[in-house]
């Protein structure tokens, strides 16, 4: 019987274990975030933090968050719409009670062509347009 292998079974097993360990350690290194450079700010990593920056003139961050949340529950297909359709859509999408309470205050006879008009009717501030 002729052996072509230069190592025996014991050496092969040891080499496999080393290789497996090397592969595992390389995977773990790839998951670690690299630190910020000296001239870069430290990233803010709180996922529950209120998003700031990019708030249009004339709006607060609360206005932006509420308008965005309303738009997510209503979608684009609803417009033009009225108070009852808004309430029905919010209920169907299981929107939070605070959004339903806000929508209950909408005027019953008004139609809204987009989320901007709806937000204004809800008392939210909207963007100031440039002249």
């Amino acid at each position: 019987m002729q052996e072509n292998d230069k190592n025996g079974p014991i050496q092969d097993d040891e080499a496999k274990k080393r290789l497996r360990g090397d592969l595992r350690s390389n995977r773990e290194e790839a998951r670690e975030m690299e630190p910020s450079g000296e001239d870069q700010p430290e990233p803010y990593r709180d996922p529950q933090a209120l998003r700031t920056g990019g708030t249009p003139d004339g709006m607060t961050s609360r206005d932006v968050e509420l308008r965005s949340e309303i738009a997510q529950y209503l979608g684009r297909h609803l417009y033009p719409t009225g108070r009852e359709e808004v309430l029905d859509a919010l209920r169907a999408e299981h929107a939070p009670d605070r959004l339903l309470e806000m929508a209950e205050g909408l005027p019953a006879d008004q139609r809204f062509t987009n989320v901007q008009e709806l937000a204004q009717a809800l008392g939210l501030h909207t963007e100031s347009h440039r002249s």
Side-chain angles (χ1 to χ4, degrees):
M1 178 176 207
Q2 185 179 359
E3 288 277 329
N4 290 336
D5 197 3
K6 293 182 182 179
N7 298 323
I10 294 173
Q11 290 91 354
D12 286 344
D13 287 341
E14 289 175 7
K16 285 179 188 176
K17 287 178 186 176
R18 277 195 307 273
L19 180 60
R20 207 173 295 133
D22 289 346
L23 291 174
R24 236 184 251 129
S25 67
N26 286 341
R27 255 186 269 136
E28 290 170 6
E29 285 177 18
R31 290 183 189 156
E32 294 175 10
M33 288 184 61
E34 299 228 358
S36 297
E38 291 178 10
D39 61 339
Q40 299 296 313
E42 230 3 82
Y44 193 67
R45 295 189 177 131
D46 184 3
Q48 300 301 321
L50 185 64
R51 296 182 189 109
T52 58
T55 304
D57 290 338
M59 296 182 76
T60 65
S61 56
R62 180 182 177 275
D63 293 330
V64 172
E65 289 290 325
L66 281 172
R67 184 178 70 177
S68 175
E69 190 174 11
I70 290 165
Q72 288 173 357
Y73 283 105
L74 296 181
R76 295 181 184 200
H77 67 282
L78 191 65
Y79 301 99
T81 190
R83 175 180 179 247
E84 293 307 313
E85 292 98 336
V86 168
L87 287 168
D88 289 344
L90 290 173
R91 287 184 190 113
E93 293 296 322
H94 306 288
D97 290 340
R98 62 186 166 71
L99 294 183
L100 286 165
E101 290 169 7
M102 287 175 69
E104 288 170 354
L106 288 169
D109 59 342
Q110 189 174 353
R111 301 289 290 170
F112 311 101
T113 59
N114 56 37
V115 73
Q116 184 85 348
E117 289 180 7
L118 182 61
Q120 289 171 337
L122 290 170
L124 301 177
H125 296 99
T126 56
E127 293 97 342
S128 302
H129 294 285
R130 295 180 189 154
S131 18

